[in-house]
Amino acid sequence: MDAKTRIELSLERAMAQIETPKAPPKLAAAMRYAVFPGGARVRPKLCLAVASACGAEDSTAAAAAASIELLHCASLVHDDLPCFDDAATRRGKPSVHSAFGEPLAVLTGDALIVLAFEALAMSLASMPQRLPALLTTLSRSVGMPLGIVAGQGWESEPHADLVAYQRAKTGSLFVAATMAGAAAAGADPESWRLLGERIGEAYQIADDICDVAYSEAELGKPVGQDAALGRPNAAAQLGIGGAVSLLKNLVEQAGESIPVCPGADALRSLVMLETLMVLPKELLQRAA
Amino acid sequence: MDAKTRIELSLERAMAQIETPKAPPKLAAAMRYAVFPGGARVRPKLCLAVASACGAEDSTAAAAAASIELLHCASLVHDDLPCFDDAATRRGKPSVHSAFGEPLAVLTGDALIVLAFEALAMSLASMPQRLPALLTTLSRSVGMPLGIVAGQGWESEPHADLVAYQRAKTGSLFVAATMAGAAAAGADPESWRLLGERIGEAYQIADDICDVAYSEAELGKPVGQDAALGRPNAAAQLGIGGAVSLLKNLVEQAGESIPVCPGADALRSLVMLETLMVLPKELLQRAA
């Protein structure tokens, strides 16, 4: 079974927990709307790829991957809220609060966070010894003081630590993906932190480039958000060509950081392919 | 050490995870503001009391109790948001969004949910075999399809199932308190469900009475909310005297539902005392 199929099945397994006749129907529908159809599923793919590179293909890795994607979807729903980015569109369709209203969007984010932890606990009921490390990895990547929520929190500070901000907001879930993939395979998570950090930085740059270079129709969500909201943007600072060079450099560093493991070469190729394919071909050629 | 002290210490231990120099200061402050000083800490006290009645006084029960209180505080912060109850006050002071703004209030709720799970995972790192049951109990009590978030979700439905609504919104965390207390002590959680349900119903009635009979100054939060928001209220339907009688009846049923265990009698007295002391004396005497 390919990674994409394993991820979708694992997400469906989690959603089956909440889609019962006793659930409030609109909230259940809003949760499904927030999760399916997904974006590139980059983070859960990375989690599975690391687990596989460490020699594991079992259901623990798929459960961890699904939990990471649920947390990612939750963060997108809350990020889009009127009191944050006030984004009308996401993944080429109306954002959750545009489609279902603000109350259900707040609840959708909350419920997806809870479901991420519940799904993991249920999947690991028969091997609880791996649960503390996985739960700690995931909760740190989304919570305070260094996770996604902390990153969003820096936006309310008059003097934000920009490195901390971007690491927390974009990087932390990539770190969770590589570390959870290793933990699911019984490998040492800590030695996989650097790979997650490098890929996270690369994606931040790629996101900055897209925000400057794409149209809303091409990207499926509002563009020019960084300029509109006064946020730092690498492509605005370095030019698109400079940002693309930086991105390629980071992807190479990511590849070099992969620890010795059975599937290191295959993982290195995958990381380069997945990270660079975010950008349109003409941009990559321009920086070649 | 008494229950109140154990709960506060366990909450402080959890907060120490997030209050570091690297955390965004306002979000950290908003989280502390949401948790301290607490209300009656009814749910964590119930959790500790059940664990103690089952013969356990260890740190697992205190960790579970703190997690339940963190989830309760998170639900209050999100409930008070402008898109839900739009409550300006809570526990006798400005609500979190009134004091810190809406973005930080959304993030505070999110971060408290995550912290509840992280704190539990860290406390049980050395005895992970109890983690799946505790995590599942807690996540079900707050998430979809039957937890607090689901209860809030029913408010967006044109035809709400009122029993499901109140069970989910008020009852589920009491059920989590009794079941998690039992699970922390290594007892069978399921036989403690009925006690949690009965106490949850009793608190819903007590809350209805307070909403009708108290002033905002006495209660420390807005009153008359049910009438203003068109929600059902037992005191409005039965009169205050009728609602107090119903409450006393439910508390007796709760006492009778306590399973055979070493500390059953002490627990029965505590449940009666804690549940009825919510009301002012004159109301209890009126219904005597």
Side-chain angles (χ1 to χ4, degrees), chain B residues 39-199:
Chain B
R41 308 285 198 214
V42 175
R43 295 156 192 80
K45 274 188 197 162
L46 180 60
C47 176
L48 285 187
V50 168
S52 170
C54 295
E57 303 277 355
D58 65 2
S59 62
T60 306
S67 293
I68 287 169
E69 183 65 12
L70 292 171
L71 293 170
H72 174 58
C73 293
S75 80
L76 298 182
V77 175
H78 280 188
D79 267 17
D80 286 342
L81 284 172
C83 69
F84 296 113
D85 288 1
D86 197 12
T89 55
R90 167 71 68 180
R91 289 175 177 166
K93 61 184 188 181
S95 56
V96 174
H97 71 90
S98 300
F100 292 86
E102 201 176 334
L104 285 172
V106 172
L107 298 175
T108 294
D110 291 355
L112 288 174
I113 296 172
V114 175
L115 183 61
F117 292 112
E118 180 177 356
L120 198 63
M122 291 186 68
S123 296
L124 272 84
S126 58
M127 52 190 315
Q129 67 280 9
R130 288 193 186 168
L131 201 44
L134 277 170
L135 276 165
T136 308
T137 297
L138 262 61
S139 58
R140 286 187 182 162
S141 74
V142 282
M144 280 275 277
L146 299 173
I148 298 175
V149 168
Q152 195 82 350
W154 279 112
E155 292 185 11
S156 292
E157 296 292 334
H159 304 289
D161 176 338
L162 282 182
V163 175
Y165 166 70
Q166 292 197 326
R167 267 206 189 155
K169 201 162 170 203
T170 312
S172 59
L173 218 44
F174 286 97
V175 173
T178 57
M179 289 178 70
D188 169 39
E190 206 48 55
S191 62
W192 289 86
R193 177 187 293 278
L194 188 59
L195 174 62
E197 286 179 354
R198 287 286 173 272
I199 298 178

Side-chain angles (χ1 to χ4, degrees), chain A residues 219-279:
Chain A
L219 203 56
K221 62 179 184 179
V223 295
Q225 288 291 90
D226 293 334
L229 298 168
R231 290 188 299 222
N233 182 304
Q237 285 159 4
L238 306 171
I240 289 182
V244 173
S245 296
L246 177 59
L247 170 62
K248 294 177 101 170
N249 195 13
L250 280 168
V251 174
E252 264 174 43
Q253 287 179 36
E256 287 161 12
S257 81
I258 294 173
V260 175
C261 64
D265 287 342
L267 179 61
R268 198 169 293 119
S269 307
L270 186 89
V271 164
M272 297 201 68
L273 189 73
E274 288 276 337
T275 314
L276 295 176
M277 73 182 275
V278 172
L279 299 182

Side-chain angles (χ1 to χ4, degrees), chain B residues 8 10 21 36 38-39 72 92 94 129-130 133 136 138 210 228 250-253:
Chain B
E8 299 306 313
S10 196
F36 302 103
H72 174 58
Q129 67 280 9
R130 288 193 186 168
T136 308
L138 262 61
C210 291
L250 280 168
V251 174
E252 264 174 45
Q253 287 180 33

Side-chain angles (χ1 to χ4, degrees), chain B residues 166 205 207-209 211-212 226-227 231-238:
Chain B
Q166 292 197 326
I205 305 294
D207 207 51
D208 287 0
I209 295 170
D211 190 63
V212 167
D226 292 334
R231 290 188 299 222
N233 182 304
Q237 285 161 4
L238 305 172

